[in-house]
Amino acid sequence: MAQDNVTADIDKGAASVLQPPAGVNREARERLAATAGIEVHERVRLASVTTLRIGGPADLLVRVDSEAALSEVMEVARGCGAALHLLGHGSNVLFPDAGIRGIVCRLRGELGVVEVEGETVRAGAGVTLARLARDTAKQGLLGLEALSGFPSTVGGAVVMNAGCYGTEIRDVLTEVRVARPGRPVESLPVARLEPGYRTTNLQGTDAVVTGAEFRLRRGAGAPALARIDELNRRRWQSLPSGKPNAGSVFRNPGDDHAGRLIEVCGLKGLRRGGAEISGRHANVIVNRDKASAADVLDLMVAAHRAVGERFGVELRPEIVLPGGLAEEFWRRARCG
Ligand SMILES: Cc1cc2nc3c(=O)[nH]c(=O)nc-3n(C[C@H](O)[C@H](O)[C@H](O)COP(=O)(O)OP(=O)(O)OC[C@H]3O[C@@H](n4cnc5c(N)ncnc54)[C@H](O)[C@@H]3O)c2cc1C
């Protein structure tokens, strides 16, 4: 196993692990609650804001309306030494059963707005990709259709360089607005993110994407909307329907498919507690019935080991594993 990859995955997977897992003190909570454009919720179970429906409470969950409000959240987090964890649609993340120390932050308000100027589209990081793709297609602006079929915010998709059906978000992205603690918000050309297969250099850093600019092309809206519907139909046929999940658990290794390798190992349908390796798509773990993060991690370790033993291939998680789960995964995956 390449140690570099492991370390990189731990770092990328869990921005919050890079900081001490301090809680949020009362003064910090009160300062945030008193700031315009910040909605504060205490001890919200993260299961309620993730597509896997797993995860214990966060000290604080804040919803932030603007870059100014975000800057205040960053400042407060830094001031009390608390981790700040950005959350989009929660469709690519597994939170620990014990929850997360620190602040989990979601974007909305001004950060959920779309502006169109010619073929240039600017969207706040809190906008969902599905909505953006449909709205732009209705206006005869094409390019996002293939990215409309999975649950995602613009911010989450930019950070993950999400992709589907041969299109990655970097293909249509021109610039990204990035906020960092103590620094003015910067507009970065997409190349500065060094996007690769499900990676950018924003992963595992304290950078927060607040918005993105896309360059789309003019075309007929009605066929584009029909294509969105068709691609979504195809997509949902290949995925487990009805049961909570987080899409692909592992990145595809090289030219192969993680799902194929796991399937050949005979692991489709394998269960741990309430979690199951989907019988429809072996790279997806579903929450069948009150699954815990520990159940999902057990299945990930089982799949990683089986594929390693049979094919000599190292599967690397695509799903983000904050709060110490990345370290736990790698420790167990490597220990045999
Ligand atoms: C049914 C299903 C199908 C899927 N299919 C695909 C697919 O075809 N292709 C694909 O690429 N993915 C797929 N996924 C995975 C997932 O939808 C994508 O990775 C998505 O882009 C994640 O976006 P999100 O808003 O949900 O991010 P989250 O899951 O909330 O967060 C993901 C990571 O991004 C960080 N993040 C989120 N927002 C910001 C921000 N504004 N600034 C900084 N960091 C941020 C988080 O801290 C976390 O590390 C699928 C998931 C599901 C459930």
Side-chain angles (χ1 to χ4, degrees):
M1 172 184 308
Q3 177 65 39
D4 287 346
N5 283 349
V6 172
T7 311
D9 277 347
I10 290 172
D11 291 349
K12 284 177 178 176
S16 54
V17 167
L18 299 176
Q19 304 168 38
V24 186
N25 61 35
R26 192 167 145 210
E27 189 191 342
R29 262 197 312 270
E30 287 174 355
R31 183 168 154 191
L32 289 175
T35 305
I38 303 178
E39 189 182 293
V40 177
H41 301 270
E42 287 185 47
R43 308 288 298 164
V44 171
R45 286 187 65 76
L46 294 165
S48 67
V49 288
T50 56
T51 59
L52 253 174
R53 300 273 173 251
I54 291 174
D59 287 339
L60 281 193
L61 173 72
V62 297
R63 295 182 207 272
V64 164
D65 277 1
S66 65
E67 285 178 350
L70 174 66
S71 154
E72 180 71 0
V73 172
M74 288 176 158
E75 203 44 52
V76 166
R78 199 160 56 155
C80 65
L84 177 61
H85 193 95
L86 258 289
L87 188 66
H89 206 292
S91 64
N92 205 24
V93 61
L94 174 67
F95 283 115
D97 299 312
I100 282 276
R101 302 313 315 270
I103 303 173
V104 172
C105 176
R106 299 186 97 181
L107 310 178
R108 62 172 200 181
E110 282 172 21
L111 302 173
V113 163
V114 177
E115 286 169 10
V116 177
E117 198 181 315
E119 278 102 56
T120 300
V121 173
R122 291 182 200 92
V127 174
T128 65
L129 267 188
R131 178 192 141 201
L132 187 65
R134 290 200 85 84
D135 286 357
T136 50
K138 279 182 197 156
Q139 297 178 55
L141 287 167
L142 314 187
L144 291 167
E145 302 85 276
L147 301 173
S148 65
F150 50 93
S152 179
T153 58
V154 165
V158 167
V159 169
M160 300 305 298
N161 186 29
C164 199
Y165 296 125
T167 301
E168 290 178 328
I169 197 163
R170 69 167 161 188
D171 300 334
V172 278
L173 203 56
T174 47
E175 281 192 3
V176 176
R177 282 182 72 75
V178 174
R180 293 178 210 265
R183 286 166 54 177
V185 175
E186 295 177 286
S187 281
L188 302 178
V190 61
R192 287 273 301 279
L193 311 185
E194 299 174 338
Y197 168 58
R198 301 295 178 268
T199 66
T200 61
N201 60 15
L202 300 177
Q203 292 175 5
T205 72
D206 56 7
V208 176
V209 174
T210 61
E213 184 182 282
F214 300 90
R215 180 87 180 158
L216 302 183
R217 59 179 197 284
R218 288 268 162 215
L225 285 167
R227 180 152 185 264
I228 288 175
D229 290 339
E230 169 54 21
L231 290 178
N232 287 352
R233 244 190 316 275
R234 259 168 67 190
R235 177 121 202 91
W236 291 111
Q237 273 164 10
S238 69
L239 284 171
S241 56
K243 294 288 177 204
N245 68 82
S248 295
V249 170
F250 294 104
R251 296 178 162 101
N252 287 325
D255 292 334
D256 213 328
H257 287 94
R260 185 192 79 79
L261 299 174
I262 298 167
E263 181 172 352
V264 173
C265 290
L267 298 187
K268 267 187 168 180
L270 183 69
R271 289 189 195 176
R272 290 287 184 273
E276 180 184 273
I277 295 184
S278 166
R280 194 180 268 192
H281 191 315
N283 196 21
V284 176
I285 294 178
V286 294
N287 178 355
R288 281 181 61 88
D289 183 25
K290 300 188 188 73
S292 63
D295 296 337
V296 174
L297 215 63
D298 280 353
L299 290 176
M300 288 179 66
V301 170
H304 181 277
R305 283 196 197 145
V307 168
E309 279 162 22
R310 177 141 184 187
F311 298 104
V313 170
E314 168 92 88
L315 290 180
R316 295 169 55 216
E318 176 176 325
I319 188 172
V320 177
L321 299 168
L325 289 183
E327 289 90 336
E328 189 182 338
F329 168 77
W330 281 114
R331 185 178 48 74
R332 290 181 51 202
R334 293 163 73 194
C335 283

